[in-house]
Amino acid sequence: MPAQTPDNTPPLDRSTELAFLRTRAAYERTMMSWIRTATSLITFGFSIYKFFQLEGPGRAQQGRLIGPRGFASMLVSIGLVSLLLATIEHRQNIKELGAQFAGRQRSLAVGLAALISVLGIIALLAMIFRQ
């Protein structure tokens, strides 16, 4: 009889274990791609905000549907929402993968997403509360 793992699940054969590791790595790469995308949206939005803050401090709105500040705020918000949704999906995928094979799995990508989210929230609050 094969040896049992500490949580009473049978050990995986080598090909299944490698498939599990490939799938987990794919989930991590996907999460890192979402983090890069969200970071780009957040930094681009904040850069637009700062550029127009320095470029035209006394200019009035010229009949625009949305101004640079609103556009920048939307970019940062979209970046934060996309990061939140990607994190939720990633955690569900890792949880499901762990339930099927290897128990509880931790992800460094989720920690990085949390740090980027904090920076994005700070940027959004700075844009909202600074005139």
Side-chain angles (χ1 to χ4, degrees):
M1 181 168 190
Q4 296 285 320
T5 58
D7 59 354
N8 290 330
T9 59
L12 302 174
D13 64 337
R14 188 66 181 151
S15 64
T16 305
E17 184 179 352
L18 290 173
F20 168 77
L21 293 174
R22 281 191 301 272
T23 303
R24 179 164 168 70
Y27 285 147
E28 293 292 318
R29 284 191 303 270
T30 302
M31 183 62 190
M32 292 303 293
S33 295
W34 275 109
I35 290 171
R36 284 190 299 272
T37 301
T39 302
S40 297
L41 285 167
I42 291 167
T43 55
F44 188 60
F46 193 71
S47 298
I48 288 173
Y49 169 73
K50 289 308 275 184
F51 175 77
F52 282 103
Q53 186 183 33
L54 296 174
E55 181 66 24
R59 287 190 180 167
Q61 291 288 341
Q62 301 168 352
R64 297 180 185 142
L65 180 62
I66 184 169
R69 182 177 179 182
F71 182 70
S73 298
M74 285 186 351
L75 280 178
V76 172
S77 298
I78 290 169
L80 287 170
V81 168
S82 68
L83 192 56
L84 175 68
L85 293 175
T87 302
I88 290 169
E89 181 180 10
H90 177 74
R91 288 182 59 115
Q92 288 173 344
N93 289 337
I94 292 296
K95 185 177 180 181
E96 182 179 326
L97 191 64
Q100 292 177 3
F101 296 106
R104 187 177 172 102
Q105 297 290 318
R106 296 203 182 263
S107 173
L108 293 176
V110 172
L112 181 60
L115 290 174
I116 298 298
S117 294
V118 168
L119 291 175
I121 290 168
I122 290 170
L124 187 61
L125 292 174
M127 290 166 49
I128 291 171
F129 292 116
R130 285 192 96 189
Q131 297 296 330

